[in-house]
Every structure is written in structure tokens, then in C-alpha cells.
Amino acid sequence: MKAFVFSGQGAQFVGMGKDLYESNPVAKELFEKANHILGYRITDIMFSGTDEELKQTKVTQPAVFLHSVISAFCMGENFAPDMVAGHSLGEFSALVAAGALNFEDGLKLVYARAMAMQKACEKTPSTMAAIVGLDNATIEGVCSEISSEGHIVVPANYNCPGQLVISGNVEAVKAACDKLKEAGAKRALLLPVGGAFHSPLMQPAKDELQAAIEATTFNKPKCTVYQNVDAQAHTCPNEIKANLIAQLTASVRWTQDVQNMIAAGATDFTECGPGKALQGMIGKIAKGNEAITVHGI
């Protein structure tokens, strides 16, 4: 069975999507539609801007979304998923590609999400850190031990075995990193991000995005969608909306997503979007399973 997965924030690079724009009329039409919806030429930044311009909140998330969705659409009949999933931001791309959201509404929600998250980041000094080479239970225990009111650190992204990202207040994350190094982590690295994504500190963004999601029409997708919040397959529009709202403050259970997709019969994974991060993660999650193939477009 074929699974298509969609990239998250951080995979962007200058030049992304330019080849699609120049070679495919469907891609060009969708990119120009996006320029109109956003009110600025995001294509100029994506194709020939600077790294700093591409890192702007209002640009990064829509850019990754556009590259991912348009890549899938340009496959035509070859885009025939039995199931889809997306990592964090990529869940919006997966929902559009699977037909649960139309292109215009998906882009508007992604832009609203980006701006709401930026506002939340500006309220409280916060960050994230990647923990490598330690089991999940130990990381969860340290986060629980350190966390208190106003001093939050939680598991944010379960990326693959031996790689978990934590998120929270700057001092809490730093304290957790120190303890996790003492506990045997190979690495505990602060990430160059502006806030504590997928933590309770994103509650203001969640409240803001909830209104936008609830006002948007969702359809039944053409295949099952594995969502980050519970790593389960969903096709009910109301369940999908509720999980999408919850996602901003909940952990991204990517390891469990992939494991459950494999358990459901997925043997062929295709990453849609810039970069190869998900391909690497899936390779580690499915390590030893020779029946699994992983590639990108």
C-alpha cells in the first residue's frame, strides 16, 4: 500500500518550487493563485530570495505548504495514496492533497497558523531542543520532573527512535538539556527556533486558530489521514478538525504515525515537499523491515 507523507517547517530552501513553476502549467497557476491569496509574491522569495527572507514567519509555513501540495498535484494520476500523513505543518498539506480541504482554504489556514504562532512566540521567551540517543521514557521523566507552573518543558516531536524534540520556556529547556546529558543523551541541542511549538505555550495560537478552523469547511478525505495528535487513521471531518486544533499544543507523534501506517499495510512511502528529513526518519522507524521502501518527489 502507498503512503504519502508531507514535510514540516525547517525543510525550506531558496529555489524551492522554481522548477515546478517553470515546467508545469498546473503548478504555475497554483503558485500565482497563492500570490493573490497571500497579497504578496511569495514565489519571488521562494525562488530567488534570501535565507533570511524565507525564514520570515509569514513566508516559511506557506512556502513549505505550497511546495508540498503542488508537488503532489503535479503527479497527476500517479498521486494515488492509500493513506497520508504530515509532520506538524505537513498535516495541513496532507489534508489538502487528500481532498479534506480545498487549496485556497488550506493556504489561508496555514497563513493564519503561522501568524498566530508568531504572536504566541513573542509573548514568552521559549525554545526547543533536540535530544539524541536517549529513550523516550527517560526524556518524559525529566520533563515531568522539571516542569512546573510558569516553567514548562514537554516532549514536542517524537521524530524517530533515539530522536525526540522537547519544547518550553528557555530556562526549563536548558535545565532539561543539562539533566538529559547527565542521563546519557548523546546530544541535547537547542534549536534555532523562535518559540516552544507543540507545547502549552502555544495556547494563545490554538485559541486563535480554532476559530478559523471551525469556520472552514472540511470534506471527507479520499483516503485515511494519520494525524499527529493520536497517530490514528481518520476520515471523519469533525474528528479531523478537532485533532488539527489540538495539534498546536500537543506532541507530534510521528514515530507512532509511521508505525501505525506500516501496521495498516503501508510498504511504499513517498515524501512530498522540500528536503529529505521525513525519509530519514521513516528509514530509522522501519529499520530492519526490508519490505519498506522510502523515497521523495
Side-chain angles (χ1 to χ4, degrees):
M1 296 178 73
K2 292 185 177 181
F4 285 76
V5 295
F6 293 80
S7 308
Q9 187 171 345
Q12 68 275 0
F13 62 89
V14 174
M16 58 190 280
K18 185 178 180 181
D19 55 338
L20 290 170
Y21 183 95
E22 293 177 343
S23 64
N24 190 300
V26 173
K28 184 173 183 178
E29 180 182 352
L30 289 172
F31 275 122
E32 288 299 340
K33 184 179 287 189
N35 287 334
H36 177 73
I37 291 169
L38 293 172
Y40 69 97
R41 292 194 62 80
I42 191 171
T43 51
D44 290 349
I45 301 174
M46 290 175 66
F47 302 165
S48 57
T50 65
D51 288 335
E52 287 305 310
E53 288 174 321
L54 192 55
K55 287 179 182 176
Q56 294 178 84
T57 301
K58 72 173 185 177
V59 177
T60 307
Q61 293 193 26
V64 173
F65 166 86
L66 288 171
H67 187 281
S68 302
V69 169
I70 292 173
S71 295
F73 284 170
C74 287
M75 290 183 70
E77 293 181 357
N78 290 324
F79 182 73
D82 296 298
M83 58 190 81
V84 297
H87 189 287
S88 188
L89 162 68
E91 194 164 284
F92 286 81
S93 307
L95 288 168
V96 171
L101 274 170
N102 67 39
F103 177 80
E104 294 84 353
D105 286 342
L107 178 57
K108 289 176 182 177
L109 286 180
V110 165
Y111 185 73
R113 179 183 191 265
M115 301 310 290
M117 289 172 74
Q118 180 60 36
K119 290 179 194 174
C121 291
E122 291 169 357
K123 285 192 172 185
T124 307
S126 54
T127 192
M128 303 176 80
I131 312 302
V132 178
L134 208 57
D135 63 279
N136 291 345
T138 299
I139 299 171
E140 291 164 350
V142 168
C143 288
S144 180
E145 177 186 338
I146 290 175
S147 282
S148 60
E149 188 173 348
H151 193 71
I152 293 168
V153 57
V154 296
N157 298 343
Y158 291 82
N159 286 336
C160 60
Q163 185 189 121
L164 197 159
V165 175
I166 61 175
S167 181
N169 301 100
V170 173
E171 292 307 315
V173 170
K174 287 181 177 178
C177 285
D178 290 340
K179 278 190 172 292
L180 291 167
K181 287 177 185 176
E182 293 173 6
K186 292 180 181 178
R187 280 180 288 172
L189 303 173
L190 292 178
L191 299 177
V193 296
F197 306 144
H198 300 290
S199 82
L201 296 178
M202 285 292 111
Q203 185 63 45
K206 179 181 175 181
D207 293 340
E208 188 171 332
L209 189 61
Q210 180 172 353
I213 289 176
E214 289 180 344
T216 301
T217 299
F218 281 63
N219 307 304
K220 185 175 180 178
K222 61 185 177 184
C223 64
T224 54
V225 179
Y226 282 77
Q227 293 191 268
N228 295 164
V229 168
D230 61 3
Q232 299 300 312
H234 294 277
T235 57
C236 171
N238 287 335
E239 289 179 2
I240 289 171
K241 291 174 80 165
N243 289 334
L244 206 56
I245 292 166
Q247 192 219 60
L248 270 185
T249 55
S251 301
V252 172
R253 300 189 175 278
W254 186 250
T255 299
Q256 298 90 331
D257 265 329
V258 174
Q259 289 171 336
N260 288 342
M261 293 169 90
I262 292 172
T267 55
D268 185 286
F269 285 85
T270 301
E271 179 174 6
C272 301
K276 299 181 179 179
L278 298 186
Q279 295 173 58
M281 292 177 195
I282 295 168
K284 292 176 181 176
I285 296 167
K287 189 174 182 179
N289 189 334
E290 296 180 359
I292 305 299
T293 59
V294 187
H295 44 90
I297 56 171

